[in-house]
């Protein structure tokens, strides 16, 4: 009889180990999927790329005074001095004048122009600059003055919380916590029923 109890105890212990191993594997899978979503991405899936008829541009923004390692696109965490780099991926864009304009507001609620730049010498495919913007929404317009002209648009959010992105960032941890709590609850209830 005691041998049967030992086998039952060993069986329960194996089941606990399998359950917790599954939880750990699921947590690791959720975390690695989340981490991969913010790693290096292809040009086709990069949210900082704009593509019109095969002519692509890429925007990067930096705030080295706050975080020297961080690269942003349109969600800029702090107001103030921001460096920007526009990569002209398409060779045709490198041979035409480029107009860049930053306007306060977004969509149909555009107001005054905050800054503008006109570049005719960018054979290396890079246009750099900086802006000093206060908190709020802006739109960066890039116009390639070819025939026909190419118009690109980037909505900029300066020091504004993006709740969707914040939720996506913490969702794997919430799911893992709820899963662990659910499994622990089931195991404790099962143990109470047996005793």
């Amino acid at each position: 009889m005691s041998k049967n109890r030992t086998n039952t105890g060993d069986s329960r212990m194996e089941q606990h180990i399998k359950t917790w191993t599954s939880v750990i594997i699921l947590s690791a899978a959720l975390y690695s999927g989340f981490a991969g979503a913010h790693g290096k991405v292809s040009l086709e899936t990069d949210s900082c790329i704009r593509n019109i008829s095969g002519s692509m541009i890429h925007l990067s923004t930096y705030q080295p005074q706050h975080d020297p390692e961080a690269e942003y696109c349109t969600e800029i965490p702090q107001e103030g001095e921001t460096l920007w780099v526009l990569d002209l991926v398409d060779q045709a864009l490198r041979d035409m004048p480029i107009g860049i304009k930053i306007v306060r507001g977004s969509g149909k609620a555009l107001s005054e122009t905050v800054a503008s730049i006109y570049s005719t010498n960018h054979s290396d495919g890079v246009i750099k600059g900086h802006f000093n913007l206060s908190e709020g929404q802006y739109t960066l317009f890039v116009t390639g003055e070819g025939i026909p002209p190419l118009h690109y648009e980037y909505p900029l959010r300066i020091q504004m919380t993006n709740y969707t992105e914040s939720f996506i960032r913490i969702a794997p941890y919430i799911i893992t916590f709820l899963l662990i709590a659910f499994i622990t609850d089931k195991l404790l209830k099962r143990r109470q029923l047996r005793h």
Side-chain angles (χ1 to χ4, degrees):
M1 198 167 202
S2 64
K3 189 173 186 179
N4 191 17
R5 279 187 188 162
T6 305
N7 287 342
T8 305
D10 289 343
S11 175
R12 274 193 248 150
M13 183 59 97
E14 286 177 19
Q15 186 174 1
H16 289 295
I17 291 171
K18 287 179 184 178
T19 302
W20 283 108
T21 302
S22 299
V23 168
I24 291 169
I25 290 171
L26 181 62
S27 299
L30 285 172
Y31 180 76
S32 65
F34 167 71
H38 294 286
K40 298 201 179 231
V41 294
S42 67
L43 286 178
E44 294 78 23
T45 58
D46 190 335
S47 64
C48 298
I49 285 280
R50 297 296 184 266
N51 186 349
I52 297 177
S53 303
S55 293
M56 292 191 292
I57 64 171
H58 182 271
L59 175 68
S60 301
T61 56
Y62 306 90
Q63 291 188 315
Q65 71 277 21
H66 299 295
D67 186 348
E69 304 289 318
E71 177 182 331
Y72 311 105
C73 183
T74 58
E75 296 287 331
I76 301 168
Q78 302 290 326
E79 61 185 357
E81 185 77 20
T82 303
L83 307 174
W84 57 266
V85 177
L86 191 65
D87 293 307
L88 307 172
V89 179
D90 183 36
Q91 182 63 44
L93 287 168
R94 298 175 184 195
D95 299 329
M96 67 177 72
I98 303 289
I100 300 168
K101 182 168 62 169
I102 299 174
V103 178
R104 185 177 302 279
S106 64
K108 294 182 180 180
L110 295 174
S111 61
E112 88 266 14
T113 298
V114 176
S116 62
I117 178 176
Y118 189 76
S119 176
T120 56
N121 185 13
H122 41 264
S123 58
D124 62 352
V126 176
I127 303 173
K128 298 177 185 177
H130 69 280
F131 51 74
N132 194 340
L133 301 176
S134 57
E135 179 181 347
Q137 292 185 319
Y138 298 83
T139 303
L140 175 74
F141 293 100
V142 180
T143 303
E145 296 182 1
I147 300 174
L150 301 170
H151 300 282
Y152 305 90
E153 191 175 312
Y154 286 94
L156 301 176
R157 292 170 46 90
I158 312 296
Q159 198 174 336
M160 298 178 72
T161 303
N162 184 337
Y163 293 105
T164 302
E165 187 176 299
S166 298
F167 178 75
I168 289 170
R169 188 178 304 132
I170 64 169
Y173 302 105
I174 293 172
I175 292 169
T176 301
F177 173 76
L178 292 174
L179 187 61
I180 290 171
F182 175 75
I183 291 171
T184 303
D185 182 57
K186 290 293 183 187
L187 290 174
L188 289 174
K189 285 181 180 176
R190 185 178 290 166
R191 180 178 281 171
Q192 286 176 348
L193 289 174
R194 289 186 179 163
H195 292 297

